[in-house]
Amino acid sequence: MLRIPYSFADEGLRERALTHRSVGAHNNERLEFFGDALVNAIVAELLCDAFPKAAEGELTRLRARLVSEPGLAAIARDLALGDALHLGPGELKSGGFRRDSILADAFEALVAAVYLDGGWAACRNFIRDLVTPRLASAAAMDDKDAKTRLQEWLQAHGEPLPTYELVATSGADHARTFDVECRIDSRNLRTEGHGSSRRAAEQSAALAMLTSLQHCDGQSKANACD
């Protein structure tokens, strides 16, 4: 049963937000585009209020974690959006109502629909009510660097540790950019990271790999990442 903590005056906005492009031209893509900007802005405000002493880099990492595709899809699942999505026959058959990308997009579209229906304050409260309970777990993840968290995740799942390789450097000596690849050969997975130092690039690549693994781990229950 749909669990949206907002009552729409215009039910048509809600229905459009939950209509995937596979249904036809009257879909949620434009709402999703608008909602993406709203989510990023309001989550940034929420983080600045919740962590007044946090540096810009920490706030950026927290926001990226909260508004990531898996993060927004998790909120969508809590709202049971998958059960209310309007999908075309192909997406229905392939289980699109379980897919992170479709769920995350639907949530962003729903945010835009709330804004258009109720205004800024309603939209702000809608996002804050849903994201605030997730702040503590997001912040706890940030206490350890990405390479450490990736190593712990792999060890907990009985998998070999990753390898890191510097694949490119660019820029002037005073403004170098390092590109590093993180590989897990047992899963045939590769991610890239970029940074102003090799260590920063490795951390970026490790975070991308961890996000990918967590996404695949969740999807593997639906046999999507083997």
Side-chain angles (χ1 to χ4, degrees):
M1 182 178 178
L2 197 59
R3 296 186 290 270
I4 298 176
Y6 177 80
S7 296
F8 279 89
D10 182 354
E11 294 291 338
L13 279 170
R14 184 189 67 178
E15 291 307 298
R16 181 157 190 173
L18 298 174
T19 301
H20 187 255
R21 65 176 180 270
S22 60
V23 172
H26 196 69
N27 59 58
N28 65 6
E29 286 190 320
R30 287 175 61 86
L31 287 174
E32 182 269 326
F33 168 78
F34 187 18
D36 174 72
L38 291 167
V39 169
N40 274 277
I42 294 172
V43 169
E45 179 194 32
L46 175 61
L47 289 170
C48 285
D49 289 347
F51 304 104
K53 296 182 180 180
E56 183 270 343
E58 181 181 358
L59 293 172
T60 298
R61 289 193 300 273
L62 287 170
R63 183 176 63 174
R65 189 170 299 129
L66 289 165
V67 306
S68 66
E69 187 175 282
L72 296 184
I75 296 176
R77 290 190 179 93
D78 287 347
L79 301 179
L81 293 193
D83 297 336
L85 286 175
H86 306 300
L87 302 171
E91 287 294 350
L92 277 173
K93 186 175 180 180
S94 65
F97 57 90
R98 292 191 299 263
R99 195 170 304 137
D100 276 9
S101 59
I102 290 178
L103 289 169
D105 287 351
F107 175 73
E108 289 176 335
L110 188 66
V111 165
V114 170
Y115 174 84
L116 293 173
D117 188 73
W120 173 257
C123 181
R124 185 172 177 266
N125 291 335
F126 178 74
I127 292 176
R128 280 178 166 252
D129 287 347
L130 294 171
V131 173
T132 297
R134 300 171 183 272
L135 291 181
S137 59
M141 288 179 65
D142 210 52
D143 287 341
K144 296 179 181 178
D145 64 58
K147 289 181 68 174
T148 299
R149 288 188 282 117
L150 174 59
Q151 178 175 317
E152 290 177 349
W153 192 98
L154 291 167
Q155 289 174 332
H157 289 76
E159 304 218 22
L161 297 182
T163 58
Y164 298 91
E165 181 180 352
L166 180 65
V167 294
T169 59
S170 59
D173 289 343
H174 66 281
R176 302 290 278 176
T177 296
F178 295 79
D179 300 330
V180 167
E181 182 180 78
C182 175
R183 294 196 310 271
I184 299 180
D185 293 333
S186 62
R187 288 188 175 227
N188 196 30
L189 287 176
R190 297 169 183 246
T191 57
E192 287 191 5
H194 316 283
S196 57
S197 68
R198 178 167 181 166
R199 182 182 183 281
E202 288 179 351
Q203 293 289 348
S204 176
L207 180 58
M209 180 63 77
L210 183 62
T211 300
S212 177
L213 286 169
Q214 289 172 336
H215 170 63
C216 286
D217 190 50
Q219 290 293 316
S220 65
K221 296 178 179 63
N223 299 319
C225 288
D226 289 329

